[in-house]
Amino acid sequence: MQARHLLTAAVMTLAVVACKPAEQEPPKPRPPVILVEADVPPRPMKPELPPLFDDIERRTFQFFWDTTNEINGLTPDRYPSRPFASIASVGYALTAYPIGIENGWVSRTQAVDRTLTTLKFFRDVAMGPQRTGKAGYKGFYYHFLDMQDGHRYDSWVELSSVDTALLMMGVLFAQSYYDGDDAREKEIRQIADTLYKRVDWPWLQERSPLISMGWFPESGIIEHDWMGYNEAMIVYILALGSPTHPVSPDAWTVWTRTYDNDWGVYQGQEYLSFGPLFGHQYSHVWIDFRDIQDAYMRERGSTYFLNSRSAALAQREYAINNPMNWKDYGQNVWGLTASDGPQNTTQEYRGEQRQFRHYSSRGAGLRENFDDGTIAPTAAISSIVFAPEEVIPATQEMHKRFGDYIYSSYGFLDSFNPSFEYDIPIKTGRLIPGRGWVASDYIGIDQGPILTMIANYRNDFVWDVMKKNPHIRKGLERAGFTGGWLTPEGEAVPMLLEKDEKAAAARAVGLAESRAAAAQDQKNNSNRNSNQGK
């Protein structure tokens, strides 16, 4: 089974942003910027959630509570196939348990027990450079672990910096949430501190100041580094905030160096683009980016939060336009991200050959584009904080139209593809006559953003807890973020979208490129439609 594997997906499908050595990316002067074609979207209104979301939230929580190994706290990458644990799923599980407490689904005692079990396991499990029998090395953990003994699952599994970061966000969330005087809550805080402090971030800076995607004991440090813009913002924020093994602030500067390559106008939205929506969601699960800006976003007169709103709105518009003529796409059926799919195969669709994939990153944007007709409900639902006025009706419609076969015990199954109706062997899932392909698994790192983002939408819950964590605050400040909740007490909060003076002149290069790309896309689509009509 091809499993969820962010690093593999990143190397295979996100080569544009993946990460050349710093010395190969000399700094280039940014063109001056002014928003002239597409205004920064205002912060969304906050419509009331219908009862369906209560049910989604409860079922999605139960995924983490029911499928996690009670003996060691390991959460499966996917279920029901459950082949191995994912450390990123564990990070989401550690965040899910307090949501369960707040909603009365589990007691604080139960959640403390489960959290302590999990943290003790990661503290005590065998670590080292050996190829087998270890869970990690240098404070990092392998992407996938055996569900029972917690050791590296197989030789193809890498020591992962971004998945370790997702785990550590859950660890630090637990540290900040369990703030009681009870001895066990104190122990949670202590172990969380231990786990975070022993991650040796500079060890993966083979091409300093960037951080590598990971390491294999067989071949060493992976040659690709994390360079923006994608889901790895939290890698650098955690590394910058480390009290024991910090990286220097120039890591963030170089991380953002390629941003201009991905800034432009797409589907009527002007934003920093990344095709799959998970890249616009993962870091936002724990960090409230609504009123804070780094140097790049100050220059652009935006925030990462508004940027993610634009990404969600652009994907919706893409589905409405439906340039590839996939079945059932529309204003309330949309969402491309990393997800399961039917099979790696090429088939004829409406008179032309189309590529389909099994597990893969899918997206629509300025650069990272792949669309085989597979919709992942998590892509839309996890954008609820960014665009609730569009996400709520989309969630309701997908549940109403397709819920009989994509909505079950733990909420929405991972994905579905109404256009895939080919009588061939499929990797996972099932074919439903007249309905296409439907996934058979729930995937932990798609379930996690659904649950946590609904919680953030309701009352800022995860965000408010993480604002108390000094390590996260320090990481953001060292990355150059200011404003909003980072403003020191007693100081006036600066105007949020006050643009840098250097952004006074009209930008030409970015708009010209995006206009040319849009014109070419329109021409290609016109030619495609013309050919199909023949």
Side-chain angles (χ1 to χ4, degrees):
M1 175 183 298
Q2 175 65 37
R4 182 100 177 192
H5 199 300
L6 283 182
L7 291 184
T8 299
V11 171
M12 291 174 59
T13 66
L14 308 181
V16 171
V17 295
C19 313
K20 300 174 184 176
E23 61 270 22
Q24 295 181 12
E25 294 283 348
K28 296 178 289 187
R30 290 189 184 127
V33 177
I34 185 169
L35 302 180
V36 294
E37 282 204 349
D39 292 335
V40 172
R43 184 182 291 187
M45 302 294 288
K46 192 172 182 182
E48 184 176 351
L49 287 177
L52 171 61
F53 282 82
D54 297 333
D55 192 63
I56 295 171
E57 201 172 10
R58 176 63 187 268
R59 289 174 187 248
T60 309
F61 167 79
Q62 288 299 144
F63 166 85
F64 292 101
W65 192 256
D66 293 350
T67 67
T68 296
N69 186 333
E70 296 180 2
I71 304 302
N72 56 25
L74 292 178
T75 305
D77 173 64
R78 52 175 65 230
Y79 183 87
S81 60
R82 202 182 193 189
F84 37 69
S86 154
I87 60 170
S89 291
V90 175
Y92 281 115
L94 289 169
T95 310
Y97 303 150
I99 295 174
I101 295 171
E102 297 296 316
N103 284 281
W105 300 328
V106 293
S107 70
R108 193 174 183 101
T109 298
Q110 289 175 300
V112 165
D113 287 345
R114 178 73 65 85
T115 300
L116 260 181
T117 295
T118 307
L119 298 183
K120 286 179 177 179
F121 167 80
F122 280 95
R123 181 192 63 189
D124 300 336
V125 70
M127 304 281 278
Q130 294 81 6
R131 299 182 180 189
T132 60
K134 307 296 181 184
Y137 184 47
K138 297 283 188 178
F140 296 92
Y141 293 88
Y142 287 103
H143 192 161
F144 298 127
L145 304 175
D146 184 277
M147 279 292 294
Q148 305 308 317
D149 63 26
H151 296 159
R152 183 190 189 194
Y153 182 73
D154 207 338
S155 60
W156 51 266
V157 177
E158 84 290 358
L159 198 77
S160 170
S161 54
V162 71
D163 291 279
T164 297
L166 289 163
L167 170 63
M168 289 301 150
M169 294 302 281
V171 167
L172 294 182
F173 180 82
Q175 181 186 52
S176 292
Y177 178 79
Y178 299 103
D179 56 1
D181 293 330
D182 175 83
R184 295 186 309 150
E185 296 200 16
K186 289 181 179 179
E187 189 175 11
I188 285 175
R189 298 195 294 272
Q190 292 165 356
I191 299 174
D193 219 44
T194 297
L195 293 175
Y196 174 56
K197 287 179 177 178
R198 73 183 187 187
V199 182
D200 189 353
W201 304 99
W203 173 65
L204 284 182
Q205 288 186 297
E206 188 166 275
R207 293 159 295 273
S208 183
L210 295 175
I211 297 174
S212 169
M213 290 184 168
W215 174 84
F216 286 94
E218 295 84 0
S219 56
I221 292 176
I222 294 172
E223 64 181 12
H224 298 286
D225 298 315
W226 288 112
M227 182 175 285
Y229 167 69
N230 51 48
E231 75 273 26
M233 281 201 292
I234 53 174
V235 172
Y236 287 95
I237 290 167
L238 287 166
L240 286 164
S242 173
T244 50
H245 303 287
V247 300
S248 61
D250 63 338
W252 189 264
T253 303
V254 178
W255 151 262
T256 63
R257 184 173 288 167
T258 58
Y259 275 14
D260 280 342
N261 297 333
D262 297 300
W263 183 280
V265 177
Y266 181 73
Q267 297 292 336
Q269 300 292 326
E270 181 177 22
Y271 66 111
L272 180 58
S273 176
F274 181 81
L277 279 177
F278 74 84
H280 296 279
Q281 295 166 345
Y282 283 5
S283 297
H284 294 256
V285 163
W286 292 278
I287 300 175
D288 182 359
F289 286 101
R290 285 177 295 184
D291 298 314
I292 62 175
Q293 296 170 302
D294 65 353
Y296 189 89
M297 285 298 172
R298 278 192 295 275
E299 179 179 306
R300 292 289 180 177
S302 187
T303 67
Y304 288 101
F305 177 87
L306 292 175
N307 196 77
S308 291
R309 173 169 168 79
S310 292
L313 295 176
Q315 270 220 15
R316 177 177 178 270
E317 192 65 24
Y318 169 86
I320 293 171
N321 294 333
N322 193 11
M324 299 183 73
N325 294 307
W326 295 117
K327 185 177 178 181
D328 288 338
Y329 275 33
Q331 65 179 356
N332 288 325
V333 181
W334 55 273
L336 303 178
T337 189
S339 70
D340 269 348
Q343 180 59 286
N344 294 322
T345 183
T346 300
Q347 300 291 329
E348 183 175 313
Y349 181 81
R350 299 194 177 186
E352 65 180 33
Q353 295 296 302
R354 294 285 180 87
Q355 181 186 5
F356 296 88
R357 293 179 184 170
H358 175 227
Y359 185 84
S360 178
S361 286
R362 294 168 171 84
L366 290 173
R367 300 286 185 272
E368 310 82 25
N369 298 308
F370 178 74
D371 176 17
D372 64 357
T374 301
I375 296 290
T378 184
I381 302 171
S382 302
S383 297
I384 189 166
V385 296
F386 309 125
E389 76 281 15
E390 308 298 357
V391 168
I392 292 172
T395 305
Q396 290 177 300
E397 181 160 335
M398 286 191 281
H399 179 266
K400 180 180 179 179
R401 290 177 57 185
F402 312 114
D404 287 348
Y405 56 96
I406 70 169
Y407 192 78
S408 191
S409 302
Y410 298 127
F412 283 97
L413 289 162
D414 191 60
S415 51
F416 63 104
N417 189 327
S419 302
F420 192 92
E421 300 181 284
Y422 305 99
D423 186 17
I424 62 171
I426 54 176
K427 187 76 173 180
T428 59
R430 58 196 174 112
L431 291 174
I432 301 175
R435 292 290 196 170
W437 173 88
V438 180
S440 54
D441 274 338
Y442 304 91
I443 296 182
I445 57 175
D446 286 343
Q447 293 285 85
I450 291 175
L451 176 65
T452 52
M453 287 303 209
I454 293 175
N456 279 331
Y457 182 75
R458 289 191 186 280
N459 58 14
D460 297 359
F461 173 64
V462 180
W463 290 336
D464 283 349
V465 170
M466 285 303 270
K467 287 173 185 176
K468 298 187 293 185
N469 193 280
H471 304 306
I472 296 302
R473 175 180 283 270
K474 181 179 180 182
L476 288 166
E477 290 174 343
R478 294 191 75 221
F481 282 88
T482 58
W485 59 272
L486 290 174
T487 304
E489 189 173 352
E491 290 188 14
V493 177
M495 185 181 297
L496 175 61
L497 296 179
E498 187 174 4
K499 298 176 185 175
D500 191 291
E501 290 298 325
K502 296 178 182 178
R507 76 195 184 299
V509 176
L511 277 176
E513 289 181 350
S514 56
R515 284 192 190 113
Q520 186 62 46
D521 286 345
Q522 186 174 9
K523 181 179 179 181
N524 292 340
N525 293 336
S526 177
N527 291 339
R528 178 184 292 118
N529 293 335
S530 157
N531 291 334
Q532 289 176 354
K534 293 179 180 178

